[in-house]
Each structure stands twice: as structure tokens, then as C-alpha cells.
Amino acid sequence: MEHELTNHPISGEPLPIATPAATMVIFRANPDGGAPLLLMVERVKAMAFAGGAAVFPGGKVDPADFDYAQMLGGPLPLDEAAARLAAIRETIEEAGLVLGLSGVSDAANCIDARAALHGGESLQVVCNRFGWTPDFEQLVPWSRWRPPAHENASRVFDTRFYLVDAGDTMPLATVDQTENRMLFWATAGEVLEKADRDEVKIIFPTRRNLERLAMFVDFDAAAAHAAEHPVSTVLTFVEQRADGSWLCIPDGHGYPVLGEPLGVAMRG
């Protein structure tokens, strides 16, 4: 397990307490050929964090996720297992897709599971009801982001990103109409182009991850790249340059672009 950071390794600033969160980057084969499609959800503008932005499905790790992880046991550290459960649960809630679980065969159960989660039931209860079992190996660790003290300390998230392969199927994803107003499938490059045309908004971490994801022709290539770059926490920092302040990330995490001008960088 990664050593917990208490101070920023570059600035030395104390890091604020962060809420654990998890995100699922869902791949599916492009029926038209070419780069794989990724699922993006557009958050409602009223949301305090990333309001109006297009993001990957995900959210906070709940206490019930930790309880379920504790019950399951296994080789993963508790916080890592809980984060993977949260990514699975949030994807069901936000997009209606049941991924990262084994034993799923009935589409009607998926609809019922989503309703149950929205009704306040835990993922553990839902899985027990339908005979589903978490399959953590389906979730490939991709990255982990945590903003430092100069960000808004009231909504600081320590977010783990996972890659999941939906294969060559056409999974039916539907928006939840609560936290998210719409969803769409697009290649990483297409999402970046939409953002450059102001058709969607993307926050700094999403942009950096899309640039990295755009390097790969399929899920296997992205997963191989992830294996070559073991996850360690990405901490942003502000760098003063001749043309002004830049929001940056350190090299070595696998990202092809390491920063952009602070004035144009969209943060949560």
C-alpha cells in the first residue's frame, strides 16, 4: 500500500484531509473501428464538485464499501478493495452498467440493482440478493489523484481511477437524472476535441487522463501501459514560468502533457 502523504513533496505544504473516491474508465470496442470508446457522464451544473463537467463515472467511497471490503477479505489492502467496490457501485448508480462483478446474467436484475442502490441499499445487500461476486481483477489500477492545499479544501478528493473493459458489446448506459444530466460514448480524442470547441467542459484531471488514454489503440495497450507505471499519488503544483502561472503534475506517472496555464485550467 502506498505510504500516506501528509505534506506536498514539492512545496512542502501540509495536505488537507481528503475524501476517498473512485472512478471507472469504461472501454468498449469502437464499432466503426479505430480508437476505443469511453463512457463520459455530464454532471448537472448545480453539483458543488465539477458541476457541468464531463467526467468518468464515480464518486465517494462510502462506509458501507469499507464494511463490504472488510467482510470479503482477500489480498488487497482495505482502502484499495473499498475503492474498487465504490467504483462498481457508483457506475451502477450513475450509468446503469454492472461491471466488475461475476455472476451477472439477467438484465432485469441490473435494473433492479440500480433502483435498490438509489433506494439506499448497500452493494453488499444487492450482490447477496442476486448472487453476484466482486471480481476485482476486472478493474485495472490506472492512477490516483489528490489536489494539494491550494485547492478548495472543502471538496478535496483522493480519487483512484480504474480501467474496465466492456469488450465489443454495446452496453446500454442510461443517465441517472440526479447527479448527471446526460452521458455519451466517445474516443478520448473526440472528448478532447469537444472540449476545445466548448461543447463540453472537462476539469484538469480529466483532461490529463484523456490525453494519456488517447495514446492507446485498445484496452490491452492501455492496461499494459498501466502495468508499466505503478500507481502513485498524482499531486498538482503551481509553477511560475515566463508566461505566467501554470498548473502542473510531476513527470513519471505516464502522462504525455504535464500542465497548462493556470488561468485556463478548469478545476473542480
Side-chain angles (χ1 to χ4, degrees):
M1 182 172 59
E2 182 184 358
H3 175 69
E4 285 299 320
L5 296 167
T6 56
N7 293 84
H8 196 292
I10 296 176
S11 68
E13 295 175 287
L15 294 172
I17 296 173
T19 300
T23 287
M24 188 179 285
V25 182
I26 304 168
F27 283 63
R28 74 173 176 88
N30 192 331
D32 298 324
L37 302 179
L38 307 175
L39 181 64
M40 307 296 298
V41 297
E42 186 173 310
R43 293 170 64 79
V44 297
K45 292 183 179 180
M47 296 299 295
F49 179 77
V55 298
F56 305 109
K60 298 178 184 177
V61 183
D62 289 343
D65 298 320
F66 283 99
D67 293 341
Y68 194 11
Q70 183 74 57
M71 188 280 295
L72 290 170
L76 292 178
L78 181 62
D79 59 344
E80 175 67 26
R84 297 192 194 199
L85 290 170
I88 293 167
R89 175 182 52 75
E90 287 283 347
T91 299
I92 299 172
E93 292 178 7
E94 293 190 354
L97 296 181
V98 181
L99 300 167
L101 298 172
S102 61
V104 181
S105 59
D106 191 334
N109 288 347
C110 299
I111 296 172
D112 292 342
R114 186 185 200 182
L117 291 172
H118 277 297
E121 292 189 12
S122 70
L123 180 63
Q124 180 177 354
V125 169
V126 169
C127 286
N128 288 343
R129 178 181 304 151
F130 298 117
W132 299 342
T133 305
D135 183 358
F136 289 145
E137 292 188 0
Q138 290 187 35
L139 281 69
V140 176
W142 172 252
S143 65
R144 181 177 178 180
W145 283 67
R146 175 177 172 173
H150 68 263
E151 301 284 357
N152 188 331
S154 68
R155 51 177 188 265
V156 174
F157 295 99
D158 179 359
T159 306
R160 289 170 164 90
F161 291 72
Y162 300 98
L163 309 182
V164 177
D165 186 14
D168 58 2
T169 60
M170 179 60 176
L172 179 62
T174 55
V175 72
D176 67 2
Q177 297 293 353
T178 56
E179 295 183 1
N180 307 303
R181 60 175 296 271
M182 65 168 290
L183 53 77
F184 61 93
W185 294 92
T187 69
E190 288 170 344
V191 182
L192 291 167
E193 290 172 0
K194 286 176 177 288
D196 290 341
R197 295 193 298 266
D198 291 325
E199 294 175 7
V200 298
K201 297 183 182 300
I202 52 176
I203 59 176
F204 183 82
T206 305
R207 180 177 285 276
R208 301 286 83 82
N209 278 293
L210 286 167
E211 290 161 348
R212 184 180 173 193
L213 291 161
M215 298 190 299
F216 308 109
V217 297
D218 56 27
F219 176 85
D220 289 342
H225 173 82
E228 295 169 357
H229 296 82
V231 172
S232 59
T233 303
V234 178
L235 287 161
T236 59
F237 63 96
V238 175
E239 181 176 87
Q240 301 301 325
R241 301 183 181 180
D243 57 351
S245 300
W246 280 60
L247 185 61
C248 302
I249 60 174
D251 199 1
H253 293 284
Y255 290 88
V257 180
L258 301 180
E260 63 182 286
L262 185 61
V264 300
M266 181 181 176
R267 290 175 281 177

